[in-house]
Amino acid sequence: MALQAALLPSTLSVPKKGSLAAAVKDTAFLSVPQKKLQAASLSVRTQVATAPVATPGSSTATKDGKKTVRQGVVVITGASSGLGLAAAKALAETGKWHVVMACRDFLKTAKAAKGAGMADGSYTIMHLDLASLDSVRQFVDNFRRAGMPLDSLVCNAAIYRPTARTPTFTADGYEMSVGVNHLGHFLLARLLLDDLQRSDYPSRRLIILGSITGNTNTLAGNIPPKAGLGDLRGLAGGLRGQNGSAMIDGSESFDGAKAYKDSKICNMLTMQELHRRYHEDTGITFASLYPGCIATTGLFREHIPLFRLLFPPFQKFITKGFVSEAESGKRLAQVVSDPSLTKSGVYWSWNKDSASFENQLSQEASDPEKARKLWEISEKLVGLA
Ligand code: NDP
Ligand code: PMR
């Protein structure tokens, strides 16, 4: 009972002070001195140039003069911790990938990469704050200026505000969870589609993280509050919260846990809509995944301490859905680079033996009409229509 009380968000109401404020502080610090950031980013790139690896994205030649497949370049958002960091490490370690870690906190990311033992030269850190559409556009400019090709994009970053009873807002005034997890990534993916299209890499991929908790065809997806976008009237109203609703479905009251789960439905619908609109013409593989329950990551940083204490053993020993950060990183790395996972429009999951399989999405998370409507509203909100 105590376990259930600690795990059910509806029983929780104590917001953890400080973490969000600290995040905002960090972001503000980094977004002001752009020059400093660029200099810092350049210094990492300087190491790339001096380290004994191929220049990111360049072709390499063997002794007999034959060209081999060049090193791929993958952009991973939110690579400063958890799944993103583990996948960055897994891909960089193969030597086949140069990882662009697209993160809002440069110093945290630099420390995390070093702490994870990622080799100098195997990665570049670039600033990206998904809570600002200007920052997304700036990131795309910076990335293009760096002159690397783009072979794979992983939209991984997310925030989860399970105890929040009032909304916070992005720089553009959208509710934070949907703003960061969906709208920021929506703009990023749309802008970088051109770059993916230009790449000559054999298999180009665009991956957006989904989750079991956004799918109501599972037990985990039926733990309240359940995900549900309704008729998208809140999103269409701009998720402002003041003159309308901060929730996608237009609910009057704000629920931070539901906002996260709703954003995951948006992620999964967006992947499928990208597939329908672009796969045939471009050959790009669009995919989503549920990497398993990585109960130890920073995603739960705003949850109450009791939850953070009990959640990992609960997932390990009771649901058996637990997966370590390292294992989840390998799974995401597989979706980026495994030659057997080239099918587009798929939501990947893994069974108990850690073998990948094509999973079924819930009715809502695979509704093409909803995906189209979500696409059209999102285009307006990010200034593409
Ligand atoms: P973490 O909190 O460890 O990682 C989230 C990352 O997102 C961090 O790097 C964080 O940066 C970054 N981020 C947050 N806000 C922004 C922003 N405004 N701009 C740029 N980056 C931002 O969580 P996980 O590794 O668990 O989550 C990664 C993905 O996996 C998410 O999409 C999540 O939905 C998904 N997922 C996770 C599951 C789990 O059990 N953990 C299960 C299913 C899916 P910073 O370090 O600066 O805070
Ligand atoms: Mg869940 C069948 C098992 C299962 C799985 C695989 C998950 C995954 N969860 C399961 C079951 C249950 N959970 C049950 C029975 C309960 C009631 C005790 C429960 C509760 C629970 C809470 C309170 N679970 C949670 C929370 C969260 O705050 C997490 C969440 O919803 O984040 C959005 C969460 C999760 N459970 C999962 C996974 C993967 C999560 C978090 C990550 C995510 O969806 O991104």
Side-chain angles (χ1 to χ4, degrees):
M1 210 50 211
L3 179 70
Q4 181 150 4
L7 292 171
L8 277 170
S10 51
T11 61
L12 309 170
S13 59
V14 195
K16 184 174 177 277
K17 277 188 190 163
S19 56
L20 195 67
V24 169
K25 204 172 134 229
D26 284 346
T27 308
F29 162 69
L30 283 166
S31 63
V32 181
Q34 270 298 324
K35 279 198 181 129
K36 252 193 199 169
L37 256 179
Q38 279 160 8
S41 171
L42 278 173
S43 79
V44 173
R45 261 181 267 138
T46 308
Q47 292 169 352
V48 171
T50 54
V53 292
T55 309
S58 66
S59 297
T60 49
T62 54
K63 273 186 197 152
D64 57 5
K66 279 189 195 146
K67 264 193 177 178
T68 57
V69 174
R70 65 170 169 76
Q71 197 183 32
V73 175
V74 55
V75 169
I76 305 180
T77 69
S80 58
S81 71
L83 175 60
L85 176 63
K89 178 178 159 68
L91 287 162
E93 273 176 0
T94 64
K96 294 179 183 162
W97 289 91
H98 183 81
V99 184
V100 175
M101 304 170 84
C103 296
R104 62 177 166 171
D105 186 333
F106 182 87
L107 294 176
K108 177 178 175 181
T109 310
K111 268 192 184 169
K114 283 249 176 285
M118 289 173 69
D120 285 352
S122 66
Y123 62 93
T124 300
I125 302 170
M126 286 192 192
H127 184 252
L128 168 67
D129 182 356
L130 289 155
S132 155
L133 298 176
D134 273 352
S135 172
V136 173
R137 291 183 181 279
Q138 185 71 52
F139 170 82
V140 172
D141 282 354
N142 288 342
F143 178 75
R144 287 179 183 157
R145 262 200 291 268
M148 288 180 252
L150 178 65
D151 307 314
S152 211
L153 168 65
V154 181
C155 298
N156 162 78
I159 52 153
Y160 175 40
R161 309 193 57 236
T163 58
R165 294 289 169 263
T166 51
T168 52
F169 298 94
T170 65
D172 307 274
Y174 304 129
E175 187 282 314
M176 189 64 80
S177 321
V178 176
V180 168
N181 305 358
H182 168 58
L183 292 171
H185 279 137
F186 181 83
L187 179 61
L188 182 72
R190 288 291 303 277
L191 296 177
L192 288 179
L193 258 182
D194 281 347
D195 303 68
L196 278 172
Q197 243 173 295
R198 278 196 296 272
S199 154
D200 62 349
Y201 202 72
S203 174
R204 295 147 302 140
R205 305 187 191 179
L206 196 165
I207 297 148
I208 311 180
L209 263 293
S211 181
I212 196 168
T213 55
N215 278 297
T216 50
N217 57 345
T218 61
L219 169 60
N222 277 288
I223 306 298
K226 283 204 239 179
L229 307 186
D231 62 4
L232 300 165
R233 70 178 62 181
L235 188 70
L239 287 183
R240 303 280 168 182
Q242 281 146 6
N243 304 318
S245 171
M247 300 296 293
I248 292 181
D249 65 4
S251 306
E252 275 177 30
S253 57
F254 177 73
D255 185 326
K258 182 172 185 299
Y260 169 88
K261 295 177 188 179
D262 289 352
S263 76
K264 289 287 124 187
I265 304 189
C266 294
N267 288 153
M268 295 178 282
L269 287 175
T270 300
M271 177 280 286
Q272 294 161 88
E273 191 64 13
L274 281 162
H275 167 72
R276 277 188 285 271
R277 288 177 186 244
Y278 297 104
H279 174 66
E280 209 172 304
D281 289 347
T282 65
I284 297 169
T285 295
F286 299 97
S288 186
L289 66 149
Y290 167 58
C293 186
I294 330 158
T296 51
T297 72
L299 193 67
F300 311 103
R301 68 188 92 177
E302 287 191 46
H303 231 311
I304 59 162
L306 186 59
F307 175 91
R308 282 185 275 130
L309 180 74
L310 296 179
F311 193 51
F314 171 67
Q315 292 293 347
K316 249 182 222 166
F317 304 115
I318 307 213
T319 73
K320 309 238 189 314
F322 180 87
V323 63
S324 69
E325 294 182 31
E327 178 58 27
S328 69
K330 284 186 203 150
R331 291 177 177 184
L332 177 50
Q334 244 182 301
V335 183
V336 171
S337 72
D338 192 315
S340 66
L341 302 192
T342 52
K343 188 167 171 191
S344 185
V346 174
Y347 168 64
W348 297 105
S349 295
W350 285 259
N351 65 22
K352 288 195 165 46
D353 303 322
S354 231
S356 58
F357 68 95
E358 284 179 40
N359 206 345
Q360 290 297 309
L361 291 158
S362 69
Q363 203 180 1
E364 182 171 26
S366 56
D367 177 345
E369 185 46 35
K370 204 161 263 194
R372 186 189 57 77
K373 200 168 165 189
L374 173 69
W375 180 277
E376 288 168 4
I377 299 171
S378 303
E379 274 191 324
K380 287 192 186 126
L381 296 181
V382 302
L384 290 174

mmCIF file of all heavy atoms in Angstrom, residues 229-265:
data_model
loop_
_atom_site.group_PDB
_atom_site.id
_atom_site.type_symbol
_atom_site.label_atom_id
_atom_site.label_comp_id
_atom_site.label_asym_id
_atom_site.label_seq_id
_atom_site.Cartn_x
_atom_site.Cartn_y
_atom_site.Cartn_z
ATOM 1 N N LEU A 229 -5.581 13.187 -25.767
ATOM 2 C CA LEU A 229 -5.496 14.521 -26.380
ATOM 3 C C LEU A 229 -6.864 15.141 -26.650
ATOM 4 O O LEU A 229 -6.938 16.317 -27.024
ATOM 5 C CB LEU A 229 -4.716 14.452 -27.705
ATOM 6 C CG LEU A 229 -3.326 13.796 -27.662
ATOM 7 C CD1 LEU A 229 -2.634 13.933 -29.028
ATOM 8 C CD2 LEU A 229 -2.457 14.402 -26.573
ATOM 9 N N GLY A 230 -7.929 14.333 -26.473
ATOM 10 C CA GLY A 230 -9.266 14.857 -26.770
ATOM 11 C C GLY A 230 -9.323 15.370 -28.202
ATOM 12 O O GLY A 230 -8.749 14.775 -29.109
ATOM 13 N N ASP A 231 -9.991 16.513 -28.389
ATOM 14 C CA ASP A 231 -10.082 17.063 -29.754
ATOM 15 C C ASP A 231 -9.013 18.138 -29.988
ATOM 16 O O ASP A 231 -9.116 18.916 -30.930
ATOM 17 C CB ASP A 231 -11.482 17.616 -30.035
ATOM 18 C CG ASP A 231 -11.822 18.775 -29.099
ATOM 19 O OD1 ASP A 231 -10.947 19.190 -28.292
ATOM 20 O OD2 ASP A 231 -12.956 19.286 -29.180
ATOM 21 N N LEU A 232 -8.015 18.169 -29.144
ATOM 22 C CA LEU A 232 -6.852 19.076 -29.289
ATOM 23 C C LEU A 232 -7.230 20.546 -29.128
ATOM 24 O O LEU A 232 -6.494 21.430 -29.588
ATOM 25 C CB LEU A 232 -6.156 18.864 -30.648
ATOM 26 C CG LEU A 232 -5.587 17.475 -30.938
ATOM 27 C CD1 LEU A 232 -5.282 17.323 -32.425
ATOM 28 C CD2 LEU A 232 -4.318 17.230 -30.160
ATOM 29 N N ARG A 233 -8.343 20.818 -28.483
ATOM 30 C CA ARG A 233 -8.788 22.221 -28.439
ATOM 31 C C ARG A 233 -7.857 23.108 -27.604
ATOM 32 O O ARG A 233 -7.692 24.291 -27.910
ATOM 33 C CB ARG A 233 -10.227 22.330 -27.940
ATOM 34 C CG ARG A 233 -10.418 21.997 -26.472
ATOM 35 C CD ARG A 233 -11.840 22.178 -26.046
ATOM 36 N NE ARG A 233 -12.739 21.261 -26.790
ATOM 37 C CZ ARG A 233 -14.046 21.229 -26.624
ATOM 38 N NH1 ARG A 233 -14.635 22.061 -25.793
ATOM 39 N NH2 ARG A 233 -14.778 20.356 -27.278
ATOM 40 N N GLY A 234 -7.230 22.532 -26.577
ATOM 41 C CA GLY A 234 -6.288 23.322 -25.763
ATOM 42 C C GLY A 234 -5.048 23.681 -26.561
ATOM 43 O O GLY A 234 -4.545 24.805 -26.492
ATOM 44 N N LEU A 235 -4.574 22.721 -27.335
ATOM 45 C CA LEU A 235 -3.393 22.971 -28.178
ATOM 46 C C LEU A 235 -3.729 24.029 -29.228
ATOM 47 O O LEU A 235 -2.962 24.964 -29.451
ATOM 48 C CB LEU A 235 -2.935 21.672 -28.855
ATOM 49 C CG LEU A 235 -1.617 21.758 -29.614
ATOM 50 C CD1 LEU A 235 -0.429 21.922 -28.657
ATOM 51 C CD2 LEU A 235 -1.388 20.531 -30.500
ATOM 52 N N ALA A 236 -4.896 23.856 -29.839
ATOM 53 C CA ALA A 236 -5.304 24.825 -30.863
ATOM 54 C C ALA A 236 -5.423 26.225 -30.252
ATOM 55 O O ALA A 236 -5.159 27.233 -30.921
ATOM 56 C CB ALA A 236 -6.622 24.393 -31.489
ATOM 57 N N GLY A 237 -5.773 26.276 -28.966
ATOM 58 C CA GLY A 237 -5.892 27.575 -28.292
ATOM 59 C C GLY A 237 -4.538 28.123 -27.857
ATOM 60 O O GLY A 237 -4.455 29.207 -27.278
ATOM 61 N N GLY A 238 -3.463 27.363 -28.057
ATOM 62 C CA GLY A 238 -2.123 27.874 -27.773
ATOM 63 C C GLY A 238 -1.539 27.470 -26.431
ATOM 64 O O GLY A 238 -0.505 27.991 -26.032
ATOM 65 N N LEU A 239 -2.201 26.571 -25.715
ATOM 66 C CA LEU A 239 -1.677 26.050 -24.440
ATOM 67 C C LEU A 239 -1.218 27.154 -23.497
ATOM 68 O O LEU A 239 -0.222 26.993 -22.797
ATOM 69 C CB LEU A 239 -0.474 25.117 -24.695
ATOM 70 C CG LEU A 239 -0.728 23.740 -25.279
ATOM 71 C CD1 LEU A 239 0.591 22.978 -25.362
ATOM 72 C CD2 LEU A 239 -1.714 22.940 -24.434
ATOM 73 N N ARG A 240 -1.944 28.257 -23.516
ATOM 74 C CA ARG A 240 -1.477 29.432 -22.779
ATOM 75 C C ARG A 240 -1.790 29.364 -21.297
ATOM 76 O O ARG A 240 -1.117 29.952 -20.476
ATOM 77 C CB ARG A 240 -2.079 30.716 -23.342
ATOM 78 C CG ARG A 240 -1.796 30.916 -24.800
ATOM 79 C CD ARG A 240 -0.410 31.457 -25.010
ATOM 80 N NE ARG A 240 -0.061 31.379 -26.414
ATOM 81 C CZ ARG A 240 1.108 31.747 -26.905
ATOM 82 N NH1 ARG A 240 2.042 32.213 -26.113
ATOM 83 N NH2 ARG A 240 1.361 31.641 -28.183
ATOM 84 N N GLY A 241 -2.908 28.710 -20.985
ATOM 85 C CA GLY A 241 -3.244 28.595 -19.578
ATOM 86 C C GLY A 241 -4.030 29.768 -19.029
ATOM 87 O O GLY A 241 -4.862 29.602 -18.166
ATOM 88 N N GLN A 242 -3.768 30.963 -19.536
ATOM 89 C CA GLN A 242 -4.465 32.112 -18.964
ATOM 90 C C GLN A 242 -5.797 32.361 -19.669
ATOM 91 O O GLN A 242 -6.844 32.335 -19.055
ATOM 92 C CB GLN A 242 -3.582 33.357 -19.030
ATOM 93 C CG GLN A 242 -2.554 33.344 -17.920
ATOM 94 C CD GLN A 242 -1.240 33.969 -18.357
ATOM 95 O OE1 GLN A 242 -1.126 34.517 -19.446
ATOM 96 N NE2 GLN A 242 -0.239 33.873 -17.500
ATOM 97 N N ASN A 243 -5.740 32.550 -20.982
ATOM 98 C CA ASN A 243 -6.997 32.769 -21.706
ATOM 99 C C ASN A 243 -7.492 31.483 -22.325
ATOM 100 O O ASN A 243 -8.207 31.477 -23.307
ATOM 101 C CB ASN A 243 -6.794 33.817 -22.799
ATOM 102 C CG ASN A 243 -6.268 35.094 -22.223
ATOM 103 O OD1 ASN A 243 -6.720 35.515 -21.167
ATOM 104 N ND2 ASN A 243 -5.301 35.689 -22.884
ATOM 105 N N GLY A 244 -7.077 30.373 -21.792
ATOM 106 C CA GLY A 244 -7.516 29.096 -22.333
ATOM 107 C C GLY A 244 -6.971 28.016 -21.435
ATOM 108 O O GLY A 244 -6.827 28.226 -20.233
ATOM 109 N N SER A 245 -6.659 26.874 -22.029
ATOM 110 C CA SER A 245 -6.177 25.770 -21.209
ATOM 111 C C SER A 245 -4.707 25.519 -21.487
ATOM 112 O O SER A 245 -4.230 25.686 -22.604
ATOM 113 C CB SER A 245 -6.989 24.526 -21.561
ATOM 114 O OG SER A 245 -6.420 23.402 -20.939
ATOM 115 N N ALA A 246 -4.004 25.069 -20.450
ATOM 116 C CA ALA A 246 -2.600 24.682 -20.636
ATOM 117 C C ALA A 246 -2.499 23.210 -21.009
ATOM 118 O O ALA A 246 -1.409 22.704 -21.230
ATOM 119 C CB ALA A 246 -1.808 24.959 -19.361
ATOM 120 N N MET A 247 -3.661 22.519 -21.046
ATOM 121 C CA MET A 247 -3.663 21.091 -21.387
ATOM 122 C C MET A 247 -4.130 20.922 -22.839
ATOM 123 O O MET A 247 -5.026 21.624 -23.307
ATOM 124 C CB MET A 247 -4.617 20.317 -20.463
ATOM 125 C CG MET A 247 -4.282 20.401 -18.988
ATOM 126 S SD MET A 247 -2.687 19.650 -18.542
ATOM 127 C CE MET A 247 -2.974 17.916 -18.857
ATOM 128 N N ILE A 248 -3.560 19.937 -23.516
ATOM 129 C CA ILE A 248 -3.904 19.727 -24.928
ATOM 130 C C ILE A 248 -5.401 19.491 -25.122
ATOM 131 O O ILE A 248 -6.013 19.990 -26.065
ATOM 132 C CB ILE A 248 -3.090 18.548 -25.504
ATOM 133 C CG1 ILE A 248 -1.607 18.924 -25.582
ATOM 134 C CG2 ILE A 248 -3.612 18.156 -26.891
ATOM 135 C CD1 ILE A 248 -0.697 17.855 -26.162
ATOM 136 N N ASP A 249 -5.998 18.712 -24.213
ATOM 137 C CA ASP A 249 -7.418 18.388 -24.382
ATOM 138 C C ASP A 249 -8.351 19.518 -23.950
ATOM 139 O O ASP A 249 -9.569 19.383 -24.020
ATOM 140 C CB ASP A 249 -7.764 17.089 -23.632
ATOM 141 C CG ASP A 249 -7.598 17.223 -22.120
ATOM 142 O OD1 ASP A 249 -7.287 18.330 -21.627
ATOM 143 O OD2 ASP A 249 -7.786 16.202 -21.421
ATOM 144 N N GLY A 250 -7.777 20.613 -23.486
ATOM 145 C CA GLY A 250 -8.599 21.769 -23.111
ATOM 146 C C GLY A 250 -9.100 21.742 -21.679
ATOM 147 O O GLY A 250 -9.882 22.620 -21.284
ATOM 148 N N SER A 251 -8.649 20.754 -20.861
ATOM 149 C CA SER A 251 -9.104 20.685 -19.460
ATOM 150 C C SER A 251 -8.789 21.985 -18.737
ATOM 151 O O SER A 251 -7.752 22.597 -18.987
ATOM 152 C CB SER A 251 -8.379 19.594 -18.676
ATOM 153 O OG SER A 251 -8.492 18.393 -19.314
ATOM 154 N N GLU A 252 -9.681 22.326 -17.823
ATOM 155 C CA GLU A 252 -9.451 23.560 -17.077
ATOM 156 C C GLU A 252 -8.301 23.422 -16.096
ATOM 157 O O GLU A 252 -7.514 24.331 -15.900
ATOM 158 C CB GLU A 252 -10.724 23.950 -16.321
ATOM 159 C CG GLU A 252 -11.653 24.741 -17.212
ATOM 160 C CD GLU A 252 -12.943 25.093 -16.528
ATOM 161 O OE1 GLU A 252 -12.948 25.257 -15.288
ATOM 162 O OE2 GLU A 252 -13.956 25.182 -17.255
ATOM 163 N N SER A 253 -8.232 22.221 -15.446
ATOM 164 C CA SER A 253 -7.177 22.087 -14.429
ATOM 165 C C SER A 253 -5.913 21.498 -15.048
ATOM 166 O O SER A 253 -5.978 20.660 -15.964
ATOM 167 C CB SER A 253 -7.664 21.211 -13.282
ATOM 168 O OG SER A 253 -8.045 19.965 -13.808
ATOM 169 N N PHE A 254 -4.779 21.936 -14.514
ATOM 170 C CA PHE A 254 -3.496 21.472 -15.032
ATOM 171 C C PHE A 254 -3.057 20.217 -14.295
ATOM 172 O O PHE A 254 -3.193 20.118 -13.079
ATOM 173 C CB PHE A 254 -2.435 22.568 -14.868
ATOM 174 C CG PHE A 254 -1.081 22.116 -15.325
ATOM 175 C CD1 PHE A 254 -0.800 21.961 -16.679
ATOM 176 C CD2 PHE A 254 -0.086 21.805 -14.404
ATOM 177 C CE1 PHE A 254 0.442 21.514 -17.109
ATOM 178 C CE2 PHE A 254 1.161 21.360 -14.831
ATOM 179 C CZ PHE A 254 1.425 21.214 -16.180
ATOM 180 N N ASP A 255 -2.519 19.245 -15.026
ATOM 181 C CA ASP A 255 -1.991 18.022 -14.430
ATOM 182 C C ASP A 255 -0.649 17.723 -15.099
ATOM 183 O O ASP A 255 -0.598 17.326 -16.265
ATOM 184 C CB ASP A 255 -2.986 16.874 -14.661
ATOM 185 C CG ASP A 255 -2.547 15.587 -13.960
ATOM 186 O OD1 ASP A 255 -1.323 15.335 -13.873
ATOM 187 O OD2 ASP A 255 -3.428 14.832 -13.517
ATOM 188 N N GLY A 256 0.425 17.919 -14.337
ATOM 189 C CA GLY A 256 1.777 17.794 -14.890
ATOM 190 C C GLY A 256 2.073 16.399 -15.414
ATOM 191 O O GLY A 256 2.740 16.245 -16.448
ATOM 192 N N ALA A 257 1.585 15.364 -14.711
ATOM 193 C CA ALA A 257 1.857 13.993 -15.148
ATOM 194 C C ALA A 257 1.147 13.712 -16.467
ATOM 195 O O ALA A 257 1.703 13.102 -17.383
ATOM 196 C CB ALA A 257 1.397 13.007 -14.075
ATOM 197 N N LYS A 258 -0.104 14.192 -16.560
ATOM 198 C CA LYS A 258 -0.854 13.967 -17.811
ATOM 199 C C LYS A 258 -0.224 14.765 -18.970
ATOM 200 O O LYS A 258 -0.141 14.260 -20.099
ATOM 201 C CB LYS A 258 -2.326 14.350 -17.642
ATOM 202 C CG LYS A 258 -3.148 14.094 -18.897
ATOM 203 C CD LYS A 258 -4.627 14.284 -18.651
ATOM 204 C CE LYS A 258 -5.466 13.896 -19.875
ATOM 205 N NZ LYS A 258 -5.187 14.678 -21.080
ATOM 206 N N ALA A 259 0.258 15.960 -18.671
ATOM 207 C CA ALA A 259 0.870 16.778 -19.732
ATOM 208 C C ALA A 259 2.056 16.027 -20.348
ATOM 209 O O ALA A 259 2.241 16.036 -21.567
ATOM 210 C CB ALA A 259 1.315 18.129 -19.173
ATOM 211 N N TYR A 260 2.858 15.355 -19.504
ATOM 212 C CA TYR A 260 3.996 14.575 -20.027
ATOM 213 C C TYR A 260 3.496 13.429 -20.903
ATOM 214 O O TYR A 260 3.990 13.223 -22.018
ATOM 215 C CB TYR A 260 4.824 14.009 -18.861
ATOM 216 C CG TYR A 260 5.847 12.973 -19.304
ATOM 217 C CD1 TYR A 260 7.126 13.355 -19.699
ATOM 218 C CD2 TYR A 260 5.520 11.611 -19.344
ATOM 219 C CE1 TYR A 260 8.060 12.404 -20.113
ATOM 220 C CE2 TYR A 260 6.444 10.653 -19.764
ATOM 221 C CZ TYR A 260 7.714 11.058 -20.151
ATOM 222 O OH TYR A 260 8.626 10.105 -20.566
ATOM 223 N N LYS A 261 2.513 12.682 -20.398
ATOM 224 C CA LYS A 261 2.022 11.520 -21.161
ATOM 225 C C LYS A 261 1.395 11.986 -22.480
ATOM 226 O O LYS A 261 1.570 11.351 -23.521
ATOM 227 C CB LYS A 261 1.022 10.727 -20.318
ATOM 228 C CG LYS A 261 1.669 10.094 -19.080
ATOM 229 C CD LYS A 261 0.649 9.374 -18.228
ATOM 230 C CE LYS A 261 1.244 8.918 -16.909
ATOM 231 N NZ LYS A 261 0.274 8.228 -16.043
ATOM 232 N N ASP A 262 0.680 13.105 -22.429
ATOM 233 C CA ASP A 262 0.105 13.670 -23.666
ATOM 234 C C ASP A 262 1.224 14.012 -24.658
ATOM 235 O O ASP A 262 1.102 13.763 -25.868
ATOM 236 C CB ASP A 262 -0.686 14.947 -23.361
ATOM 237 C CG ASP A 262 -1.994 14.668 -22.618
ATOM 238 O OD1 ASP A 262 -2.368 13.482 -22.479
ATOM 239 O OD2 ASP A 262 -2.635 15.650 -22.174
ATOM 240 N N SER A 263 2.305 14.574 -24.110
ATOM 241 C CA SER A 263 3.414 14.964 -25.013
ATOM 242 C C SER A 263 4.009 13.727 -25.682
ATOM 243 O O SER A 263 4.484 13.790 -26.820
ATOM 244 C CB SER A 263 4.498 15.738 -24.249
ATOM 245 O OG SER A 263 5.308 14.873 -23.464
ATOM 246 N N LYS A 264 3.985 12.604 -24.994
ATOM 247 C CA LYS A 264 4.519 11.365 -25.582
ATOM 248 C C LYS A 264 3.603 10.861 -26.696
ATOM 249 O O LYS A 264 4.073 10.329 -27.693
ATOM 250 C CB LYS A 264 4.722 10.293 -24.496
ATOM 251 C CG LYS A 264 5.882 10.585 -23.560
ATOM 252 C CD LYS A 264 7.235 10.375 -24.215
ATOM 253 C CE LYS A 264 8.138 11.549 -24.177
ATOM 254 N NZ LYS A 264 9.372 11.398 -24.957
ATOM 255 N N ILE A 265 2.274 11.030 -26.533
ATOM 256 C CA ILE A 265 1.380 10.681 -27.654
ATOM 257 C C ILE A 265 1.746 11.557 -28.846
ATOM 258 O O ILE A 265 1.834 11.087 -29.981
ATOM 259 C CB ILE A 265 -0.118 10.916 -27.332
ATOM 260 C CG1 ILE A 265 -0.575 10.178 -26.093
ATOM 261 C CG2 ILE A 265 -0.982 10.500 -28.524
ATOM 262 C CD1 ILE A 265 -2.084 10.219 -25.895
#
